[in-house]
Amino acid sequence: MSKHHAPGQIVTPDELRAVAADGTKLRYALMELAGQIPDAITLGRGDPDLNTPEHVIAAARAAILDGRADLPVPVAGLPALREAVAENLRRDNGIPVQRDDILITDGGQEALYLLMQTLLDPGDEILVPDPRYTSYDEAIHQAGARMVLVPTYPEDNFDLRAAEVEAAITPKTKAILIISPSNPTSAVVSRANLTAIAEIARRHNLIVISDEIYEKYVYAPAEQISVAGLPGMFERTVTLGGFSKTYAMTGWRVGYVAAPADFIAALTAVKAATTGPLSAVSQYAALAAATGPQDVVAEYREIYRRRIELMKHGLADLGFSFGEPQGAFFVYTNAASSGIPAFELSYLLLREGHVLIFPGTAFGEKWVDWLRISVLQPEDQLALALERMAGVLARHR
Amino acid sequence: MTMAASILGGMAAQRARILPPAPDPSADVIDLSSEFPSGSTSPALRESAIDAVEQHLCDHYTRRPGIAPLCRAVAASMSAAGVPLDETLVTICGGVAEARYVAVRALAAGQRVYLPLPAPAVYQAGLEFAGANVTTFDAGGDLPDAQGGLLIVSNPNPVTGQVVAPATLERLAAWADAADLAIIADESVGPVRPEAPFVRFASLPGMAERTLTIGSFAEVPGLGAWHVSWIAGAKRVFTPVRDLKQSITICTAAASQYAALAAASEVDEGEIAAEVAERQEAILSLLDRHKVPYLAPDTVAFVVVQVAESSRLAAACHAAGVIIGDGALLGNPGTVRIAVPSGSLADALEALDAALHDVKGR
Ligand SMILES: Cc1ncc(COP(=O)(O)O)c(C=O)c1O
């Protein structure tokens, strides 16, 4: 707990305090502040620092040059891209999908919005693991539905406990959201819990929305399991995925939804009337990523794994604890030993240490002692960031 | 279908029921159902886009409002049209569908919405999801009693291709002022014919502070498929729309933004309008030959044909290899909309000719 500094003792600027209760706005306000600091090391946003692979760039270039980028693409997505995503999901995830079971979206972000608007009615409840990617809050709120938080715990590396899921179910529950690997905790839901949650969903006739946007970044011995591939689950599971994180392609804005074709057809009608098709050139880029060599993903995975190790050691030296990160590219760390609440601490680290890190409160109200560090900078920058953090802490501890 | 599949499908179908089915362009047919000129982007524009891609400028999320020079270009063009704005009041959106949806969804929530006839169906999803209470009216007739709410002005109208006469706009503006209405000025359709009396709604006295303008880069032939548009306006109406856009898609695809930037700096609007107008004339002459009436177009992007049995003509066109927009679904019954084709002009004319013969012959 915070020993020395009560909340509010460190004076944070008005523009931060004004948005402190809204996770998404808080993250962006911190990014704005960091933008004004020329030598800031940004360990905030989940935007890979690595480049989009060259064969993807070449494919985009070709599509622009030969005019394919100028031709309209169906709302559901480029047929070849839907086919390629389906094939990869069959091969890598064991999800029994065909082309018509895939909708291409404007990033995973749009997918999560469309899903909530399409599936949830006012008054419905959806179970959401806490801490969480708070963009879900807004999408659920827009649909007039209610988010019911399911707690997760550092003791078991933030695994999603089936018993906690079941305890949160009410007659109004319509869906269970699973984000694995998790943003912000980097937890990967264990096979035992995932199978048990699947069984609960079937027993209570619930839908599962499985956000697997970080699926390719899972570190052994953890294993990535797709709920939709478990027996009897495909017909009640909507899988969300994308190219942003896997291939360092956040700027291309390509995501997808995989689910039974009749659902995809309806979701496509909603997309047509809300956001329309995604830019053709982005889809040709994604097609090259989906069908091209995949060794680049293994290469990126090894880079992130090493960075996570470096960060873990550095944080341990600072006296911070954490759940063991099993996936994604975040370390979610408990900074209580600093004696400074995380909201104030992240501001201090930025102002004095020129290091951008998001406080846990940007991912859930109760995470007042936690920080989410993304390791999306080269190792020398991470080491420098740790040094700067140590300096700030030494001054304030 | 398995029983459980219908759980998901059935739920979604409830929501999708209110919406028209998604158009599905396929390789075997010429798709003339859109409201934007098809065609090819220029070599200069392609070069600029490729440069940005190869420099890895398109790999990462951009600033959420969009790349700064593009926001500045939009602000400058609005200012030149009599709507002084700075770049902080501009956000780049995906295609115009997204811009329309976020504008309507954010500003119509729980509001009474006033929609002049013919009311394009493109706002339907936003209005339904926002739970808006819609009043349609004839802009030339008595204006409804109103106190607060939202007015949507489509200019040029995407289902007639016609601009709203300046006198009518002034009348609407005076009414919006007296009734304290917020305004969405959907000015995304184009290019506008040089002789058409097009006026930006936000440039009318007192309107800048209550108007959100929607514009699009899709008027540049070939850029429609890059899906890039913009919203700009006074803080009060701009901020909630910007926030919703960002929460739905974070930012717009970077490559599309760089292509739009090239269009904004390299493309001459007058030249484009003249080039597309020539192709539009070919369709108008065909209609004249068939003695089929059409609305005098103020935009060169498409032609709106007056035909009682619009669905029959649309079906005949489809059979002949061309998809056109059925006014019954678009929000203007008794019409069809035909986009001006580019490379496929000769084939499209032949197919339209066959379809018109077919419908009249029966
Ligand atoms: C859990 C989760 N889902 C979805 C997204 C959306 O990403 P994108 O829209 O870039 O695909 C993110 C991005 O950070 C995320 O963390």
Side-chain angles (χ1 to χ4, degrees):
Chain A
M1 280 291 99
S2 319
K3 290 183 288 283
H4 311 300
H5 297 261
Q9 206 170 323
I10 290 160
V11 182
T12 46
D14 290 347
E15 67 260 40
L16 280 190
R17 278 202 311 281
V19 294
D22 180 322
T24 308
K25 287 195 174 135
L26 175 56
R27 294 197 299 275
Y28 281 101
L30 282 163
M31 280 158 56
E32 288 269 306
L33 281 183
Q36 296 158 18
I37 302 175
D39 68 339
I41 301 175
T42 54
L43 310 181
R45 193 177 212 182
D47 183 6
D49 58 312
L50 304 172
N51 278 345
T52 298
E54 288 305 330
H55 68 274
V56 174
I57 299 290
R61 177 180 197 275
I64 296 171
L65 259 190
D66 67 20
R68 276 174 296 151
D70 299 342
L71 298 176
V73 166
V75 178
L78 198 64
L81 178 58
R82 297 173 77 197
E83 195 80 62
V85 168
E87 188 181 330
N88 290 354
L89 286 173
R90 282 196 304 271
R91 184 193 62 216
D92 297 349
N93 305 60
I95 306 179
V97 272
Q98 305 296 328
R99 184 182 81 185
D100 289 351
D101 303 319
I102 307 295
L103 170 70
I104 303 300
T105 57
D106 215 317
Q109 191 79 3
E110 188 206 21
L112 70 88
Y113 179 83
L114 289 179
L115 288 175
M116 297 307 161
Q117 307 323 300
T118 307
L119 283 172
L120 300 179
D121 288 314
D124 284 346
E125 290 179 357
I126 172 167
L127 308 188
V128 176
D130 190 52
R132 61 198 184 271
Y133 180 54
T134 55
S135 288
Y136 277 101
D137 299 25
E138 170 73 10
I140 293 165
H141 174 76
Q142 280 263 324
R146 203 168 85 82
M147 177 171 70
V148 174
L149 297 179
V150 181
T152 63
Y153 305 92
E155 293 76 26
D156 56 359
N157 300 323
F158 299 98
D159 199 356
L160 183 57
R161 298 177 185 175
E164 293 281 4
V165 169
E166 183 141 38
I169 292 173
T170 77
K172 291 184 178 160
T173 309
K174 191 180 258 177
I176 304 171
L177 172 66
I178 300 174
I179 306 178
S180 180
S182 155
N183 175 7
T185 65
S186 283
V188 172
V189 181
S190 63
R191 182 176 285 276
N193 274 318
L194 205 65
T195 354
I197 293 167
E199 189 276 321
I200 291 167
R202 287 195 301 270
R203 185 151 39 82
H204 290 270
N205 193 23
L206 302 177
I207 286 164
V208 174
I209 298 173
S210 182
D211 181 337
E212 302 180 16
I213 200 125
Y214 298 100
E215 59 163 343
K216 296 298 182 207
Y217 298 107
V218 171
Y219 310 104
E223 50 170 346
Q224 171 64 5
I225 305 158
S226 288
V227 195
L230 298 178
M233 287 307 290
F234 177 62
E235 42 266 313
R236 60 175 69 250
T237 303
V238 184
T239 304
L240 182 161
F243 292 76
S244 279
K245 318 291 176 175
T246 302
Y247 302 98
M249 287 179 67
T250 53
W252 299 86
R253 312 303 308 122
V254 195
Y256 55 82
V257 175
D262 61 345
F263 176 74
I264 291 296
L267 198 62
T268 304
V270 176
K271 178 164 173 54
T274 53
T275 48
L278 171 67
S279 160
V281 64
S282 285
Q283 301 202 43
Y284 284 105
L287 179 61
T291 55
Q294 301 298 304
D295 41 357
V296 61
V297 179
E299 213 178 282
Y300 289 179
R301 184 164 47 236
E302 181 54 18
I303 292 173
Y304 297 142
R305 193 193 61 76
R306 287 179 45 169
R307 292 178 181 177
I308 288 173
E309 284 307 308
L310 185 154
M311 185 51 65
K312 275 167 42 190
H313 285 115
L315 291 171
D317 288 346
L318 295 178
F320 291 180
S321 62
F322 39 81
E324 188 64 33
Q326 297 168 306
F329 28 60
F330 309 113
V331 182
Y332 199 55
T333 186
N334 186 325
S337 70
S338 70
I340 307 169
F343 173 65
E344 279 84 358
L345 181 56
S346 67
Y347 173 64
L348 266 191
L349 290 172
L350 182 58
R351 193 188 64 190
E352 296 184 10
H354 296 187
V355 178
L356 172 66
I357 289 172
F358 294 147
T361 52
F363 305 94
E365 304 68 14
K366 76 176 200 206
W367 301 92
V368 293
D369 283 327
W370 293 75
L371 297 173
R372 190 200 76 176
I373 302 175
S374 60
V375 295
L376 300 173
Q377 292 292 340
E379 288 183 34
D380 59 337
Q381 290 293 296
L382 295 179
L384 181 59
L386 282 161
E387 236 172 73
R388 292 185 184 177
M389 289 165 72
V392 174
L393 290 168
R395 279 196 294 281
H396 290 274
R397 253 180 175 145
Chain B
M1 189 196 307
T2 65
M3 200 188 95
S6 65
I7 297 175
L8 272 168
M11 272 181 203
Q14 270 179 26
R15 201 56 57 93
R17 171 181 42 85
I18 58 166
L19 307 168
D24 188 8
S26 87
D28 328 332
V29 288
I30 302 170
D31 184 3
L32 302 180
S33 64
S34 112
E35 59 191 90
F36 298 108
S38 56
S40 302
T41 49
S42 68
L45 188 152
R46 290 179 183 183
E47 270 317 308
S48 301
I50 287 172
D51 265 0
V53 165
E54 292 192 328
Q55 287 174 50
H56 288 280
L57 295 178
C58 304
D59 294 6
H60 302 286
Y61 295 120
T62 68
R63 288 167 73 235
R64 284 189 304 167
I67 56 174
L70 186 56
C71 294
R72 278 199 293 277
V74 171
S77 114
M78 283 295 275
S79 301
V83 192
L85 274 179
D86 71 39
E87 65 184 271
T88 63
L89 295 172
V90 176
T91 284
I92 307 303
C93 293
V96 73
E98 180 189 288
R100 284 173 176 155
Y101 174 73
V102 291
V104 173
R105 176 69 184 84
L107 296 178
Q111 296 284 324
R112 183 162 285 281
V113 174
Y114 300 94
L115 196 53
L117 291 167
V122 288
Y123 310 117
Q124 197 179 339
L127 291 168
E128 294 268 358
F129 287 9
N133 206 328
V134 181
T135 302
T136 53
F137 66 100
D138 175 1
D142 289 341
L143 298 175
D145 284 334
Q147 194 47 56
L150 176 72
L151 166 66
I152 302 179
V153 180
S154 317
N155 186 27
N157 187 314
V159 293
T160 66
Q162 297 184 314
V163 301
V164 185
T168 307
L169 287 181
E170 280 163 24
R171 193 164 166 258
L172 289 173
W175 173 60
D177 203 20
D180 192 22
L181 303 176
I183 297 110
I184 293 175
D186 178 357
E187 296 170 358
S188 57
V189 168
V192 174
R193 283 175 168 270
E195 71 278 11
F198 172 74
V199 176
R200 287 213 182 271
F201 196 82
S203 72
L204 299 174
M207 290 301 104
E209 53 266 37
R210 46 175 81 244
T211 302
L212 180 84
T213 303
I214 300 174
S216 171
F217 295 98
E219 10 184 293
V220 178
L223 210 48
W226 293 69
H227 294 285
V228 52
S229 66
W230 51 267
I231 52 163
K235 206 164 191 157
R236 170 161 81 99
V237 282
F238 171 74
T239 307
V241 181
R242 176 201 65 189
D243 289 353
L244 180 61
K245 143 71 188 171
Q246 294 174 351
S247 93
I248 298 182
T249 53
I250 304 181
C251 62
T252 293
S256 298
Q257 295 193 53
Y258 280 98
L261 180 61
S265 45
E266 289 164 18
V267 167
D268 181 317
E269 276 171 45
E271 261 174 41
I272 288 183
E275 180 221 314
V276 183
E278 261 178 46
R279 293 187 258 132
Q280 187 184 42
E281 284 305 327
I283 298 186
L284 295 179
S285 332
L286 175 77
L287 295 171
D288 287 339
R289 275 207 307 284
H290 281 273
K291 299 198 167 52
V292 177
Y294 51 85
L295 301 178
D298 287 330
T299 168
V300 296
F302 55 82
V303 172
V304 175
V305 181
Q306 292 168 297
V307 46
E309 292 180 292
S310 62
S311 304
R312 218 176 108 204
L313 179 56
C317 281
H318 201 164
V322 181
I323 301 181
I324 61 172
D326 180 354
L329 300 174
L330 299 176
N332 195 9
T335 66
V336 295
R337 187 180 67 196
I338 306 173
V340 172
S342 58
S344 54
L345 181 62
D347 291 345
L349 285 172
E350 200 177 303
L352 287 172
D353 193 28
L356 287 167
H357 271 301
D358 180 30
V359 169
K360 285 207 309 198
R362 273 194 248 164

